[in-house]
Amino acid sequence: MSDMFGHSTPRPYFDDPYTTAFEATVLDARRDTRGMWLALEASYFYPTGGGQECDLGTLGRAAVVDVEEDAAGRVWHRVEGDAPGVSTRVPATIDPVRRRGNRQQHTGQHVLSQAFERVLGAFTVSSRLGEFEGTIDLERSDLAWDDVERVEEAANQVVFEDRPVQSIVVSPDELGGYALRKPPKVDGPVRLIVVPEWDVSPCGGTHCTRTGEIGPIKVRRWEKWNGGVRVEFVCGLRALADYQDRTRAMVDAALRQHTSDREVLGLLERAAGERVALAKQLKRLGEQLAIVEAEAWALVRGAIAGAAVGAG
């Protein structure tokens, strides 16, 4: 039986994105070149899709290493190890750290995309959530740090206000009542993620229920990409981990150079400039040495030739 979205596997994480341990009944099994796949009666596991990585975890004693949705809307879990048989009821667990990270990243992406649109008029063409960082492709030719800082301030203000994040299902006839940031990619009923007075987007991913849970939203870098700009960002615990890594690297570099972390960049730039200057000087000295050696060998050869003539 399919749900109202045409999924043959129910998606309880739509309304409950926090459950990471549950009892599951195995309905079906199949094997392909990648391994053994199991379908469950109801699954809290999120399958890869919509730019979001799948959940990982366990089914019984077997590790769940991939989750995919087939063309019929059925969710399959690829397992490694001692796979349970069909009709078996087993304990299931979802990696809670990965789930929380994906939840923070995905909700943060919605808030950040809207901030780029409101502050800079830069529309999100596509987005992707990776194992650690996420990316947003913008319809914009370039960015500057001042632009990015204004966008970050707007996005994080929404986080600080701890607004509710609503998951609602609407019919196609009701869509006209919502200011969608992007059109839905499915026909029929649509699940919307709503941040009141900020963003409304069709989405099937796992999300926070309040913006405060997102934690800090930070842009790491950007580059020109396919005529636009690709922005790399991190949220929540991943943003904290990124900040810790960068701070440690900066402070350690400063200590080794006996300077402050705020001055280490200038010192390194000066050192790089000196290295370039030394390389150029070394090249010039090498060229001069080659000329002197060539002249010396010419004199030696001339002397040898003169001595040979005199001896004759």
Side-chain angles (χ1 to χ4, degrees), residues 27-38:
L27 291 184
D28 201 357
R30 62 179 175 84
R31 183 179 291 276
D32 62 17
T33 56
R34 291 177 291 172
M36 175 65 73
W37 296 82
L38 303 177

Side-chain angles (χ1 to χ4, degrees), residues 37-184:
W37 296 82
L38 303 177
L40 307 180
E41 182 178 15
S43 178
Y44 280 87
F45 280 87
Y46 179 82
T48 297
Q52 179 178 327
E53 301 284 335
C54 69
D55 287 320
L56 303 178
T58 61
L59 286 176
R61 291 191 296 271
V64 176
V65 296
D66 195 7
V67 186
E68 293 183 356
E69 178 184 0
D70 64 20
R74 200 174 198 187
V75 175
W76 292 88
H77 311 69
R78 181 160 65 90
V79 296
E80 291 182 351
D82 189 7
V86 175
S87 299
T88 304
R89 190 162 181 81
V90 294
T93 62
I94 294 171
D95 180 344
V97 175
R98 181 182 175 91
R99 166 61 72 86
R100 178 170 54 182
N102 286 341
R103 197 166 60 231
Q104 291 176 325
Q105 284 286 110
H106 207 154
T107 315
Q109 179 265 307
H110 283 215
V111 173
L112 184 60
S113 286
Q114 183 63 257
F116 271 113
E117 186 170 322
R118 292 194 181 209
V119 175
L120 302 178
F123 297 95
T124 295
V125 178
S126 63
S127 62
R128 177 185 173 276
L129 306 176
E131 291 282 344
F132 184 78
E133 75 283 349
T135 60
I136 295 173
D137 292 344
L138 296 175
E139 197 176 65
R140 185 180 174 88
S141 60
D142 204 355
L143 286 174
W145 275 116
D146 287 345
D147 298 326
V148 169
E149 288 169 2
R150 289 193 294 129
V151 169
E152 287 178 332
E153 289 172 2
N156 283 286
Q157 182 61 39
V158 174
V159 172
F160 299 150
E161 291 170 357
D162 194 27
R163 302 186 189 190
V165 179
Q166 302 163 344
S167 170
I168 63 174
V169 177
V170 300
S171 67
D173 294 338
E174 296 174 302
L175 285 175
Y178 296 88
L180 301 182
R181 179 166 48 82
K182 60 180 181 179

